[in-house]
Amino acid sequence: VDIDFSQGKLPFPSNHFNAALSQHVIEHLEMKRELIPIFAEFRRILHDGGELWLSCPSIEKICKSYLSDGAQSLVDGTKKRHPNYSTEGFPSVVIVNELFQMKGDHKNLFDFELLRFLLQKVGFNQIEEVDEIQLVKRFGEFAFRNDTEQTIYVKANK
């Protein structure tokens, strides 16, 4: 199913799914006009007790890397996943701009507090920060992204 999340509607009946998963998508949505409506839609299509799993760039982790090592840990992590990645001679801090901007595609970066606020706003509860291992255990068909140096993982229940 090809779905444009920016439209704020999902083509599924209410209370239909046990779980929904969004990996590195929500940062591409405008927060008030697109993201809040799609979070409400995720809640609508989940059974009571259903789980929403999210992953996206973590502004907290990116900032901590910048402050602790000039973003070198972000460069090293990216090179693990993309061996041909290069800062093209720029200092490692250039990756911070790349992650914030993603060639103009990123509209938001999140930390846990902001995600919790947005999810609570549409009625999710039991919101917790998890790790990639928990996500892959829950959804075994997904391979590890191996990007914990830059990604936040969150699980919320309806």
Side-chain angles (χ1 to χ4, degrees), residues 35-63:
L35 186 57
I36 291 173
I38 206 66
F39 277 178
E41 279 290 285
F42 278 131
R43 188 175 184 287
R44 180 188 65 77
I45 67 169
L46 289 170
H47 290 295
D48 287 341
E51 304 168 337
L52 175 62
W53 294 74
L54 303 169
S55 71
C56 60
S58 166
I59 193 168
E60 180 181 0
K61 290 180 178 182
I62 293 167
C63 289

Side-chain angles (χ1 to χ4, degrees), residues 82-114:
H82 307 286
N84 294 329
Y85 174 79
S86 170
T87 62
E88 300 176 7
F90 286 86
S92 58
V93 72
V94 75
I95 197 168
V96 172
N97 288 326
E98 292 171 4
L99 291 169
F100 279 14
Q101 299 291 324
M102 196 55 66
K103 299 179 183 174
D105 288 341
H106 282 175
K107 296 184 180 173
N108 299 288
L109 295 179
F110 298 94
D111 67 0
F112 179 70
E113 295 305 318
L114 181 54

Side-chain angles (χ1 to χ4, degrees), residues 17-49:
F17 294 100
N18 293 321
L21 167 65
S22 172
Q23 288 200 82
H24 284 266
V25 173
I26 64 172
E27 65 273 15
H28 298 274
L29 301 174
E30 192 280 323
M31 195 175 312
K32 294 174 185 167
R33 188 176 45 82
E34 298 172 342
L35 186 57
I36 291 173
I38 206 66
F39 277 178
E41 279 290 285
F42 278 131
R43 188 175 184 287
R44 180 188 65 77
I45 67 169
L46 289 170
H47 290 295
D48 287 341

